[in-house]
């Protein structure tokens, strides 16, 4: 890539200079400290409304500082001052939210309930207050224990996990890469097999700590605590998992790949192994430059109508200073979005290689940036600019599907159409079946550790194989699958997060189904959903705007599975036109 780029987020969107940010930061932290120590508001509309307004103003300022120092550090991973500032600000934000929740919990609850039952200027804050009270109820009794004991222990375990990966996963100097497909495929498992005892020695304590804190807070265990925090229920999760296990869409997709590879190679289908499946592709897409990748994304969004596409056009305009294509040696190789109420949203990408996967990742993060901008413009209260991660992720995954569908629909050859359709299906089945498998396994690990059945790497491996065979078609099953528990980084660094991808994928595929049948009507409803932010539960918002019932787990899964089945049938038809050489025109 070029040594310089016109794509760089203009930090002046947030502060005129670095010294101005530093000066403002010190003053802000002093203001927040004074606000937290000030007398609590009375439960009367003017006083409480003023207090909430002051919280909103401080939150907006705090978020603007967080964005600024985050971008500084992501551009230069050696900038220790920015890293320290980021840690300080993140801690201040967490403590600030906890303080707000504790203050709400300290008020006269009967008077507060009566006030919220009336139509007053507090109506716009009702959901924020109710959510804050719910959080305080489960957090209050264990806050000190978490701060003094659990968090340091988790930090130590996290450091141990990182050390294992650094020391045990680095190839020896001069070590040659495997040459055949089977060896390459199985080589990926070897570091985990070699380090499984050490990795189990980290994971089991993490599970015990997370589960113990959740049970102390009144939950049945960490899975319920995480699900409830995400405004989901264990019943919803279990219902989705059971329904996914009963569907056949993933098996049909894999069977289609097996048949195509066997036809291409003139071998029996029962001889096909997992490492053979990638040979199905007859098309090697050209690399896209970063500007060309943005142009492809923008074209894909145009099918959703002018209002939606215009958001991406504004974001991608180099003159707007809202996209950071960072590719110096000091950059973090990450992709993420920034933005909050009252702050300009932006997109950072630090590992762009021109592949279709990279373009998809940019489309994913761009959707987050657009969503943040729409909330900032239409939902100005900072407390409603954050919500359950599975809803956030659903918007980004839907954007990936829009891009892949555009590439499929506009491909000029049958080989290219088959390639992009397979990528669409790979994304879809990974989001649903892959995330279901990961969610099921992780909550099963927590249940097993809690019951005393899971203590060692061997215990984890046996459980993993039992779960894997419920989701993976037989052709995809291998003895090495027992290492899956050790290969999921999120299990260690962000426990039980996989459930967010599961529900996000289900929602994204249901969005796409509605979009296929009514592009203009869906676009209008979808924009309204994005603009509203999170001023109510996901169940209410999704039902209100796009008629999706989160409690209808069977309907969610059926909608996603049917789309996968339809697209798999189209892929099989494309493959049927292909012989040993190029695909023929059907």
């Amino acid at each position: 890539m070029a040594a310089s780029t016109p794509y760089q987020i203009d930090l002046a969107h947030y502060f005129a200079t670095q010294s101005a940010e530093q000066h403002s930061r010190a003053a802000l932290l002093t203001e927040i400290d004074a606000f937290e120590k000030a007398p609590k508001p009375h439960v009367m509309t003017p006083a409480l409304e003023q207090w909430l307004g002051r919280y909103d103003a401080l939150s907006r300022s705090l978020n603007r500082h967080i964005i600024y120092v985050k971008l500084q550090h992501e551009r230069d991973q050696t900038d220790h001052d920015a890293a320290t500032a980021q840690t300080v600000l993140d801690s201040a934000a967490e403590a600030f939210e906890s303080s707000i929740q504790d203050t709400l919990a300290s008020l006269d609850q009967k008077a507060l309930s009566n006030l919220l039952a009336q139509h007053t200027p507090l109506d716009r804050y009702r959901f924020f207050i109710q959510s804050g009270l719910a959080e305080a109820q489960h957090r209050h009794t264990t806050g000190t224990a978490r701060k003094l004991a659990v968090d340091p222990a988790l930090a130590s375990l996290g450091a141990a996990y990182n050390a294992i990966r650094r020391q045990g996963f680095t190839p020896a100097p001069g070590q040659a890469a495997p040459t055949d497909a089977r060896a390459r495929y199985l080589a990926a498992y070897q570091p985990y097999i070699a380090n499984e005892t050490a990795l189990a020695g980290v994971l089991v304590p993490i599970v015990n700590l997370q589960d113990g804190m959740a049970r102390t807070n009144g939950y049945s265990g960490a899975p319920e605590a995480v699900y409830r925090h995400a405004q989901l229920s264990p019943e919803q999760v279990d219902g989705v998992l059971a329904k996914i296990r009963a569907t056949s869409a993933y098996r049909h997709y894999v069977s289609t790949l097996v048949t195509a590879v066997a036809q291409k190679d003139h071998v029996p289908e029962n001889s096909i192994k997992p490492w053979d499946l990638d040979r199905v592709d007859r098309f090697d897409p050209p690399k896209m430059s970063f500007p060309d990748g943005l142009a492809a994304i923008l074209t894909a969004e145009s099918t959703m109508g002018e209002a939606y596409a215009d958001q991406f056009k504004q974001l991608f305009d180099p003159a707007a200073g809202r996209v950071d294509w960072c590719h110096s040696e000091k950059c973090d190789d990450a992709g993420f979005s920034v933005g909050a109420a009252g702050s300009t949203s932006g997109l950072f990408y630090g590992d762009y290689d021109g592949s279709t996967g990279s373009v998809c990742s940019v489309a994913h993060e761009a959707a987050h940036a657009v969503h943040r901008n729409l909330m900032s413009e239409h939902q100005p209260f900072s407390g409603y600019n954050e919500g359950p991660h599975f809803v956030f992720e659903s918007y980004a995954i839907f954007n990936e599907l829009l891009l892949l569908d555009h590439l499929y629909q506009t491909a000029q050859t049958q080989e290219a159409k088959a390639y992009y359709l397979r990528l669409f299906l790979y994304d879809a089945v990974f989001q649903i079946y892959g995330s279901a498998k990961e969610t099921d396994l992780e909550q099963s690990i927590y249940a097993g550790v809690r019951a005393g059945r899971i203590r060692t790497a061997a215990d984890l491996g046996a459980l993993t194989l039992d779960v894997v065979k419920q989701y993976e078609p037989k052709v995809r099953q291998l003895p090495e699958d027992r290492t899956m528990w050790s290969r999921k980084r999120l299990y260690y660094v962000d426990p039980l997060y996989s459930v967010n991808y599961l529900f996000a994928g289900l929602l994204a595929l249901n969005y796409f189904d509605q979009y296929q049948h009514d592009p203009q009507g869906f676009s209008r409803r979808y924009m309204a959903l994005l603009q509203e932010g999170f001023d109510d539960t996901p169940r209410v918002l999704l039902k209100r705007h796009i008629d999706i019932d989160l409690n209808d787990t069977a309907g969610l899964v059926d909608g996603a599975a049917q789309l996968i089945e339809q697209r798999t049938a189209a892929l099989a038809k494309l493959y049927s036109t292909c012989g040993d050489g190029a695909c023929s025109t059907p």
Side-chain angles (χ1 to χ4, degrees):
M1 298 296 177
S4 61
T5 171
Y7 293 103
Q8 190 170 67
I9 293 176
D10 184 359
L11 294 183
H13 285 313
Y14 312 105
F15 293 95
T17 64
Q18 183 173 347
S19 61
E21 186 278 326
Q22 292 171 342
H23 178 78
S24 175
R25 186 200 317 158
L28 175 63
L29 293 175
T30 300
E31 286 184 76
I32 289 175
D33 183 62
F35 178 75
E36 292 174 340
K37 293 176 179 177
K40 308 306 179 191
H42 296 292
V43 182
M44 48 186 285
T45 300
L48 192 53
E49 186 181 8
Q50 290 171 10
W51 181 80
L52 287 165
R54 183 59 180 154
Y55 154 77
D56 184 40
L58 292 171
S59 179
R60 285 164 166 259
S61 296
L62 188 55
N63 286 331
R64 188 161 62 253
H65 283 279
I66 290 172
I67 292 170
Y68 188 92
V69 299
K70 179 179 177 67
L71 288 171
Q72 279 188 313
H73 185 235
E74 295 297 325
R75 285 178 178 175
D76 182 359
Q77 292 285 282
T78 67
D79 188 340
H80 300 298
D81 289 341
T84 300
Q86 189 174 354
T87 299
V88 169
L89 287 167
D90 286 343
S91 297
E94 183 178 352
F96 187 40
E97 293 302 319
S98 296
S99 172
I100 295 299
Q101 294 162 8
D102 288 344
T103 296
L104 291 171
S106 73
L107 301 177
D108 182 330
Q109 295 302 296
K110 184 177 180 180
L112 183 59
S113 179
N114 290 336
L115 188 61
L116 292 177
Q118 305 169 26
H119 288 295
T120 71
L122 285 177
D123 278 355
R124 66 190 293 247
Y125 301 114
R126 179 180 287 105
F127 183 69
F128 176 77
I129 293 170
Q130 292 170 339
S131 300
L133 291 172
E135 286 292 316
Q137 179 182 357
H138 284 287
R139 178 187 47 77
H140 185 67
T141 57
T142 57
T144 301
R146 174 170 283 280
K147 183 176 181 180
L148 296 180
V150 175
D151 285 347
L154 289 172
S156 178
L157 289 164
Y161 172 72
N162 289 331
I164 293 168
R165 289 187 61 86
R166 282 196 305 271
Q167 296 165 12
F169 289 68
T170 303
Q175 181 178 337
T179 55
D180 67 281
R182 178 183 182 278
R184 285 196 301 271
Y185 191 92
L186 295 179
Y189 294 92
Q190 295 312 308
Y192 299 96
I193 294 172
N195 292 277
E196 62 182 1
T197 299
L199 289 166
V202 173
L203 182 59
V204 172
I206 288 174
V207 171
N208 273 316
L209 285 166
Q210 296 286 359
D211 215 49
M213 286 300 296
R215 294 169 71 188
T216 303
N217 281 331
Y219 296 103
S220 62
E224 184 192 3
V226 171
Y227 300 162
R228 298 285 184 193
H229 181 74
Q231 298 176 36
L232 295 167
S233 70
E235 294 76 21
Q236 284 174 303
V237 177
D238 289 341
V240 160
L241 294 176
K243 181 66 177 177
I244 288 174
R245 288 193 297 268
T247 62
S248 57
Y250 182 32
R251 291 195 298 275
H252 291 164
Y253 163 70
V254 172
S255 176
T256 297
L257 299 184
V258 168
T259 299
V261 172
Q263 176 186 351
K264 176 175 178 284
D265 292 352
H266 302 289
V267 297
E269 290 189 13
N270 61 10
S271 70
I272 302 299
K273 303 299 182 184
W275 46 84
D276 297 320
L277 296 180
D278 283 342
R279 294 208 308 272
V280 72
D281 290 320
R282 294 170 168 82
F283 176 73
D284 185 16
K287 300 286 188 181
M288 289 191 195
S289 68
F290 191 77
D292 285 347
L294 297 186
I297 295 168
L298 183 58
T299 303
E301 313 311 331
S302 66
T303 61
M304 280 278 288
E306 184 178 353
Y308 188 68
D310 190 56
Q311 286 287 324
F312 289 86
K313 184 177 180 180
Q314 294 176 41
L315 173 67
F316 293 159
D317 182 359
R322 293 176 57 195
V323 173
D324 218 305
W325 172 27
C326 197
H327 45 80
S328 77
E329 292 182 355
K330 294 182 178 180
C331 289
D332 189 6
D333 59 349
F336 59 86
S337 67
V338 295
S343 293
T344 301
S345 76
L347 161 69
F348 180 100
Y349 207 86
D351 190 28
Y352 186 81
D353 63 9
S355 66
T356 305
S358 272
V359 181
C360 274
S361 295
V362 173
H364 181 109
E365 299 304 337
H368 285 314
V370 163
H371 178 213
R372 293 183 188 282
N373 189 63
L374 287 168
M375 287 191 293
S376 182
E377 291 179 346
H378 299 275
Q379 179 51 273
F381 179 50
S382 62
Y384 293 149
N385 274 223
E386 293 293 334
H389 289 182
F390 77 90
V391 184
F392 264 112
E393 295 295 346
S394 73
Y395 303 148
I397 294 170
F398 172 64
N399 222 48
E400 294 177 33
L401 297 177
L402 282 177
L403 171 66
L404 290 171
D405 183 64
H406 162 69
L407 294 174
Y408 158 60
Q409 300 288 357
T410 59
Q412 297 301 302
T413 67
Q414 298 297 96
E415 292 94 336
K417 290 183 79 69
Y419 174 83
Y420 290 119
L421 182 53
R422 186 178 79 86
L423 289 189
F424 179 99
L425 281 162
Y426 176 83
D427 199 357
V429 299
F430 174 78
Q431 303 296 348
I432 307 303
Y433 293 90
S435 296
K437 179 178 62 177
E438 293 175 11
T439 299
D440 197 339
L441 175 59
E442 192 169 18
Q443 71 174 26
S444 297
I445 290 171
Y446 275 78
V449 170
R450 189 183 313 127
R453 298 189 304 271
I454 303 295
R455 296 185 177 90
T456 67
D459 298 333
L460 287 161
L463 173 66
T464 300
L465 288 175
D466 285 342
V467 172
V468 167
K469 69 183 181 183
Q470 298 179 60
Y471 293 91
E472 289 290 348
K474 195 168 183 61
V475 69
R476 296 292 306 263
Q477 295 179 31
L478 292 169
E480 289 81 2
D481 288 336
R482 73 178 192 275
T483 64
M484 178 183 153
W485 64 269
S486 63
R487 290 185 284 117
K488 298 305 171 185
R489 183 173 178 271
L490 284 176
Y491 288 8
Y492 297 84
V493 303
D494 200 349
L496 297 153
Y497 191 85
S498 295
V499 73
N500 289 290
Y501 290 119
L502 171 59
F503 276 80
L506 289 169
L507 289 174
L509 285 169
N510 278 274
Y511 301 159
F512 193 86
D513 185 57
Q514 290 195 26
Y515 155 77
Q516 283 190 127
H517 291 94
D518 180 17
Q520 291 184 341
F522 173 75
S523 178
R524 184 177 61 254
R525 298 189 298 271
Y526 186 68
M527 285 286 286
L529 175 64
L530 296 179
Q531 291 168 358
E532 186 161 348
F534 297 93
D535 60 0
D536 213 320
T537 65
R539 182 182 64 81
V540 170
L541 294 172
L542 290 165
K543 186 65 177 176
R544 176 188 299 158
H545 291 291
I546 49 179
D547 198 29
I548 288 179
D549 184 356
L550 266 180
N551 290 331
D552 180 13
T553 54
L556 277 175
V557 175
D558 281 341
Q562 287 168 13
L563 178 59
I564 291 171
E565 292 276 22
Q566 292 164 4
R567 289 289 171 117
T568 297
L571 182 64
K573 186 175 181 180
L574 281 169
Y575 285 151
S576 72
T577 71
C578 300
D580 295 331
C583 303
S584 61
T585 302

